[in-house]
Amino acid sequence: MVRIRVLVVDDHRIFAESLAAALAAEPDVEVAAAGSGPAALRCLDRAAAEGRRFDVLLVDADLGAAAVEGLRPPAAVPDGAAQDGLVDGISLVAGVRSGQPSVRTVVLAERDDPRRAALALQAGASGWVAKDCSLSRLLTVIRGVLRDETHLPPALLTGVLRELTAARKHRTESEQLVESLTPREREVLRCMVAGLGRKAVAERLYLSPHTVRTHMQNVLGKLGVHSTLAAVALARRAGVGPADLEAAS
């Protein structure tokens, strides 16, 4: 019998243990649990190193909220990574998608939220399921995502499609603005995305600080924003990655 390896990630201990126990009662399901994003990543890495990769990750949509009340990742932190080691649910989905793309992720949510569901799908999730759904429904989703299916509650579908359409339109507009930059201005923008200040950009690109200041002002003007943080956010929407700092060191 082929067993499905499932990792439950939820910082609500009672819920995580109850769900893990219910799933473990299934003859073809093997379950483990992790109480935080970092713990989940360590568990995934350890399983991969042992040749026993997980198949499905069940992630709490509000992961981290109970442990650090009210702390959300600041907009300037790359890829949504939060302070003090906190990894929220959607950031975890993105990290797993990047590091172990064969692992399917399903987000477990206490409430319907089209915007967050759309963000989860964009991050690489294969499903969004209510926490209070039946065990049979959850098992259907688990088995479905392993067949490359995407599962959403019917009531969320219209809202999620609207959010994804709006996000695509926003991304297209951002891409067009970035395309208006000169090659040198794009280099400067990538350095900004990497978190480099004016002096560091000047040293990296062998330019004077005054020239870098001019390029940064031009970048802000062409992108139609008034701050470095806004420029970085727009660049990320357009798919602009950070400058490769290791290559320069």
Side-chain angles (χ1 to χ4, degrees):
M1 177 186 298
V2 177
R3 295 176 68 82
I4 303 171
R5 301 199 70 226
V6 178
L7 179 61
V8 179
V9 188
D10 196 307
D11 46 22
H12 294 80
R13 181 177 176 182
I14 295 177
F15 175 83
E17 290 180 350
S18 298
L19 179 57
L23 290 171
E26 296 295 312
D28 64 338
V29 178
E30 181 180 340
V31 190
S36 69
L41 293 173
R42 290 193 296 270
C43 191
L44 288 167
D45 288 342
R46 185 167 56 250
E50 296 172 352
R52 302 177 68 249
R53 292 181 181 273
F54 285 95
D55 300 300
V56 178
L57 197 69
L58 301 179
V59 183
D60 177 20
D62 296 319
L63 185 68
V68 187
E69 185 66 28
L71 175 62
R72 306 312 318 163
V77 177
D79 300 325
Q83 300 169 343
D84 301 326
L86 175 66
V87 179
D88 67 29
I90 292 176
S91 297
L92 178 60
V93 169
V96 172
R97 180 65 174 175
S98 174
Q100 297 193 32
S102 64
V103 179
R104 301 294 186 264
T105 55
V106 175
V107 177
L108 304 178
E110 292 185 352
R111 60 191 180 282
D112 287 346
D113 187 331
R115 182 176 180 276
R116 295 200 69 205
L119 288 173
L121 293 181
Q122 288 176 307
S126 297
W128 177 281
V129 182
K131 276 191 170 186
D132 59 358
C133 75
S134 67
L135 181 61
S136 62
R137 167 62 180 163
L138 182 56
L139 288 167
T140 296
V141 172
I142 289 172
R143 296 188 172 104
V145 298
L146 289 175
R147 296 190 297 268
D148 291 326
E149 298 173 359
T150 299
H151 285 259
L152 283 173
L156 268 183
L157 187 57
T158 299
V160 168
L161 289 176
R162 185 182 299 115
E163 291 288 340
L164 292 175
T165 300
R168 180 57 205 167
K169 180 177 182 293
H170 204 178
R171 180 183 176 90
T172 299
E173 292 171 347
S174 300
E175 289 170 344
Q176 291 173 345
L177 289 171
V178 169
E179 288 173 2
S180 71
L181 303 179
T182 66
R184 177 62 85 185
E185 288 166 351
R186 291 181 199 174
E187 285 185 285
V188 170
L189 179 59
R190 292 185 65 225
C191 290
M192 294 163 66
V193 172
L196 299 182
R198 188 187 307 166
K199 182 179 179 182
V201 175
E203 292 175 353
R204 175 183 171 81
L205 300 181
Y206 304 103
L207 299 171
S208 72
H210 176 74
T211 299
V212 171
R213 179 174 181 273
T214 299
H215 283 314
M216 286 184 166
Q217 288 177 336
N218 289 340
V219 167
L220 297 184
K222 289 183 178 181
L223 297 184
V225 296
H226 301 287
S227 70
T228 297
L229 290 180
V232 169
L234 187 149
R236 287 192 171 279
R237 286 198 300 271
V240 176
D244 186 351
L245 302 183
E246 291 185 2
S249 59

